[in-house]
Amino acid sequence: MKFNIAVISGDGIGPEVIEQAKKALNAVADVYDHTFLYKEALMGACAIDKTGNPLPDETVILCKQSDAIIFGAIGDPKYDNNPSAKVRPEQGLLRLRKELGLFSNLRPVKAYDELIKNSPLKEEVIKGTDIAIYRELTGGIYFGIKELSDDGNIAFDGCSYSVEEIERIAHLAFKAAQNRRKKLTLVDKANVLETSRLWRKTVTNLASQYPDVKLEFLFVDNAAMQLILNPKQFDVILTENLFGDIISDEASVIGGSIGLLASASIGKENALFEPIHGSFPQAKGKDIANPLASILSAAMLLEHLGLHEEAETINRAVQKSLELGITTEDINSERSFPTSKVGDFIADYIQHQEDSNLNFQNIHMGQITII
Ligand code: IPM
Ligand code: MG
């Protein structure tokens, strides 16, 4: 089959990790006889440098025409350290999410056995953790009215949610729970916030449509603690935009490296796939960034296109790279491989598969070690 993929490499390590994701997709295309037509688009600091706009119109048009979008990272220290900058790279991503209506952000968090020792959390606490975080992505405080008083002394960020905004993602989270361990935890701050009370009421009203799913509620401060105290209690977590941003970074500690967390942002008509790590400017161009989150994002993209076996093939290749220790320095600083070589290995594994060559492991380990 033929698919149009919009590619937004973005800033920092974005281009290098996206290149590895494309290698994996190309290998899949080869093995399963698909065609992926990539079209590059600008967003973020690189777009500001070239056009003055963090999200040029052509990028939005291209994304709307595509079957799926793969995105790297956004951000640049020259903006982070300048709070008065009027134009910022992040505005590009936020506007793209809004313009494409990408309201549902799925962030899976898994404790890979091979990485358990990498986590600062105890093995018995995290082993077996498997959580799907559903973060609302186009509402809440991120998109509320923002104001700064004329004298610059008072700032305001408004937060609002409608029943419709809550319901559309809640349905997806309930459905996901039905296909998993049938538990949904709504994370909110209903003891303080009006919007959170609306979330609770709306989600509670929907629960009768999903009688097989157990619905629980947790205040976000408690949830932040429970996530590292006993993450295995969670199956699907549903939460609003800002809380989801924060707890998903926190949850990445369970996986041993934020370099492994992929995400899918889904709307009615468009879908974007991105690693949740940022632009990691210190690593830019050094060939040391972990490409696995991007590669796993490519797997989520395939899943979205209905290519389940193909997605599974990528997931298996990532699993293999972890088993063999063909990983970047964030995972093992004593024995690490460059970003590009991890990407080569994954693509190679997708193409040749273990069973097709008994010596696979030796040959490939050999190749990679020589390089
Ligand atoms: C994320 C990021 C973004 C967010 C930034 C880059 C605007 O942190 O995708 O989690 O806050 O949503
Ligand atoms: Mg974030």
Side-chain angles (χ1 to χ4, degrees):
M1 288 165 84
K2 205 182 228 178
F3 298 95
N4 291 311
I5 314 268
V7 180
I8 306 178
S9 298
D11 304 323
I13 56 168
E16 32 199 305
V17 291
I18 287 302
E19 203 183 310
Q20 312 317 313
K22 277 168 69 181
K23 282 182 194 167
L25 287 172
N26 289 340
V28 163
D30 224 37
V31 174
Y32 293 92
D33 206 14
H34 297 305
T35 305
F36 297 123
L37 295 170
Y38 305 107
K39 292 219 171 102
E40 306 272 340
L42 285 175
M43 184 169 78
C46 57
I48 300 176
D49 290 346
K50 289 208 178 101
T51 71
N53 181 351
L55 182 66
D57 291 346
E58 305 87 79
T59 299
V60 180
I61 293 166
L62 188 77
C63 288
K64 284 188 175 161
Q65 289 166 347
S66 68
D67 296 303
I69 307 151
I70 187 143
F71 163 57
I74 205 161
D76 190 294
K78 71 181 173 206
Y79 299 97
D80 296 344
N81 304 330
N82 176 10
S84 55
K86 287 268 177 299
V87 181
R88 315 182 68 83
E90 290 78 5
Q91 291 163 343
L93 178 58
L94 297 179
R95 260 183 39 219
L96 187 70
R97 288 173 178 169
K98 195 73 175 176
E99 292 220 15
L100 300 182
L102 307 175
F103 64 87
S104 172
N105 184 220
L106 167 60
R107 300 186 162 186
V109 175
K110 226 174 104 179
Y112 287 93
D113 284 349
E114 294 76 17
L115 294 183
I116 282 186
K117 56 184 181 323
N118 285 55
S119 175
L121 303 173
K122 291 199 183 87
E123 172 162 0
E124 63 268 27
V125 172
I126 57 174
K127 196 173 165 58
T129 299
D130 180 1
I131 309 173
I133 299 178
Y134 276 76
R135 168 189 176 194
E136 201 290 325
L137 204 59
T138 51
I141 199 164
Y142 270 63
F143 294 96
I145 296 166
K146 298 182 192 308
E147 279 170 7
L148 184 64
S149 64
D150 290 342
D151 63 5
N153 282 334
I154 303 174
F156 174 87
D157 287 291
C159 178
S160 79
Y161 267 110
S162 68
V163 168
E164 194 201 339
E165 283 175 308
I166 299 167
E167 279 183 344
R168 61 187 181 181
I169 185 167
H171 278 300
L172 296 181
F174 271 115
K175 283 182 190 139
Q178 282 185 318
N179 292 321
R180 293 171 46 102
R181 301 191 307 280
K182 301 187 171 38
K183 183 173 165 187
L184 177 63
T185 307
L186 175 66
V187 169
D188 63 24
K189 189 72 187 170
N191 50 346
V192 177
L193 301 177
E194 205 54 53
T195 42
S196 282
R197 286 191 275 272
L198 187 65
W199 271 85
R200 257 191 208 212
K201 196 170 143 207
T202 308
V203 173
T204 305
N205 286 343
L206 290 189
S208 59
Q209 295 177 38
Y210 304 93
D212 51 334
V213 176
K214 185 164 182 270
L215 175 64
E216 287 187 352
F217 307 99
L218 221 49
F219 295 140
V220 63
D221 46 352
N222 188 10
M225 181 175 70
Q226 295 296 333
L227 254 180
I228 48 173
L229 218 50
N230 177 17
K232 274 179 274 190
Q233 69 183 289
F234 296 110
D235 177 16
V236 177
I237 291 179
L238 168 64
T239 192
E240 60 99 76
N241 204 343
L242 181 63
F243 297 159
D245 179 45
I246 298 167
I247 64 165
S248 57
D249 266 29
E250 185 195 7
S252 75
V253 174
I254 298 165
S257 169
I258 197 168
L260 257 111
L261 247 69
S263 81
S265 304
I266 312 282
K268 277 208 187 76
E269 271 146 32
N270 296 99
L272 175 147
F273 302 84
E274 61 170 304
I276 86 153
H277 61 67
S279 55
F280 194 12
Q282 304 85 334
K284 179 182 174 172
K286 292 192 180 149
D287 209 13
I288 56 170
N290 190 341
L292 295 184
S294 285
I295 292 170
L296 289 169
S297 299
M300 291 182 90
L301 180 152
L302 296 176
E303 193 74 48
H304 177 78
L305 295 176
L307 307 178
H308 306 293
E309 196 185 318
E310 290 84 337
E312 213 20 65
T313 303
I314 293 194
N315 290 334
R316 270 204 314 276
V318 168
Q319 179 67 41
K320 200 71 192 176
S321 82
L322 294 174
E323 278 166 25
L324 297 179
I326 300 176
T327 50
T328 42
E329 63 179 39
D330 53 308
I331 290 182
N332 185 349
S333 55
E334 273 152 35
R335 181 175 171 275
S336 64
F337 294 84
T339 310
S340 52
K341 296 301 162 210
V342 175
D344 288 347
F345 170 79
I346 301 270
D348 222 28
Y349 188 82
I350 292 167
Q351 269 173 325
H352 299 111
Q353 299 293 311
E354 208 163 11
D355 295 344
S356 65
N357 183 346
L358 285 177
N359 290 323
F360 181 89
Q361 189 163 324
N362 293 337
I363 291 168
H364 289 270
M365 286 295 285
Q367 266 182 10
I368 280 167
T369 319
I370 293 163
I371 287 163

